[in-house]
Amino acid sequence: MKRGAKLPGKFQRRKNARTNPLQIPSFSILVLALLATAALLTSALYFQKNSSVEGEGSSPGAGQPVTINSVTVPPPPALDVSAIVRGEQLYARYCAACHGVNLEGAANWRLPLPDGSLPAPPHDSSGHTWHHPDSVLIAITRDGGDPTQNSRMPAFRGQLTDEEIEAVLTFMKSRWGEEERRYQWWITVMSANH
C-alpha cells in the first residue's frame, strides 16, 4: 500500500487507537467509575464501623460504657499489671501443657477425641473463652469441666485459690482483642445482674 492510502474500516480503527494512547472506550470508563464508587463506599462503611466502635468504648481503658444490643454497662475495669504477671506465671505452670504456651489450644480442638471429649480449647481471641462470664470461667477452673459434656478439664480447687484463678483469667484477658474484651466484660456484668 502507498503511504497515506486509506485503510479498510477495521484497520483504520486500530491505527487510530494506537496513535491516541489516551483514548479509552466508554465501557472501560464505566467499569472504572463503578470500581471507584465501590471502593469509596467500602472505605466509608469501614470508617463508619470503626468510629462507632470507638464511640461505644471499645478501648478497655477509655472509661466509656460498653453498649451491646442496646444494653449499656459500665466501662471495663483496667487490667491490673501485677495480676497479669502473676497470672502468666500460673498459666505457664498449670494451664500451658493443655491449652498451649501462647493460649492457642490443642490442635484440632473442635474435633472430638475417640472417647468423645474435646481437646483443650484456645484461651486467646480465636477460642470461645471470652464468650463466658467471669463466674463461669472461675467455676470451671476451680471445679473442673462438666463430665456430662465429656469435658476432661480437671478441677484446680486444691491447687489454686480463687485469687490465683482470677489472676490467670486477667492474664488471658490481656491477650484478647478489644472487641472480645468488651464483649466478655459485658456478658460478665449481664450475668451478675441476673
Side-chain angles (χ1 to χ4, degrees):
M1 280 190 117
K2 290 183 179 178
R3 190 176 183 130
K6 198 159 194 157
L7 297 172
K10 71 179 188 178
F11 295 111
Q12 186 67 35
R13 274 182 266 144
R14 231 190 236 162
K15 180 182 174 198
N16 287 345
R18 284 188 200 135
T19 59
N20 185 358
L22 297 178
Q23 184 179 5
I24 301 172
S26 59
F27 176 75
S28 296
I29 292 173
L30 177 64
V31 169
L32 289 173
L34 289 174
L35 289 173
T37 302
L40 287 173
L41 287 173
T42 302
S43 296
L45 289 173
Y46 173 80
F47 287 113
Q48 180 183 14
K49 178 185 178 211
N50 286 344
S51 65
S52 68
V53 168
E54 288 174 9
E56 291 176 2
S58 65
S59 176
Q64 296 180 359
V66 178
T67 302
I68 298 176
N69 296 333
S70 300
V71 177
T72 302
V73 300
L79 299 175
D80 180 353
V81 175
S82 63
I84 293 171
V85 171
R86 180 72 177 131
E88 184 173 17
Q89 295 166 347
L90 292 165
Y91 180 91
R93 182 172 177 193
Y94 293 98
C95 312
C98 294
H99 293 281
V101 174
N102 295 309
L103 293 85
E104 73 274 13
N108 300 315
W109 64 275
R110 291 185 172 144
L111 300 176
L113 298 170
D115 68 358
S117 65
L118 290 171
H123 287 311
D124 60 11
S125 293
S126 71
H128 59 79
T129 306
W130 57 272
H131 294 179
H132 304 291
D134 285 356
S135 59
V136 169
L137 297 173
I138 291 167
I140 290 172
T141 306
R142 183 183 52 232
D143 304 326
D146 185 350
T148 65
Q149 300 295 317
N150 292 324
S151 175
R152 296 186 344 182
M153 171 74 180
F156 286 91
R157 180 183 296 274
Q159 299 170 57
L160 296 170
T161 65
D162 281 354
E163 183 179 282
E164 290 172 322
I165 292 170
E166 289 174 15
V168 171
L169 182 54
T170 300
F171 164 66
M172 290 188 297
K173 289 176 183 182
S174 75
R175 297 293 186 92
W176 295 341
E178 289 183 16
E179 288 186 36
E180 292 82 5
R181 172 83 168 94
R182 287 175 58 244
Y183 178 82
Q184 199 275 334
W185 169 249
W186 183 85
I187 199 76
T188 294
V189 172
M190 295 303 294
S191 71
N193 292 335
H194 291 106

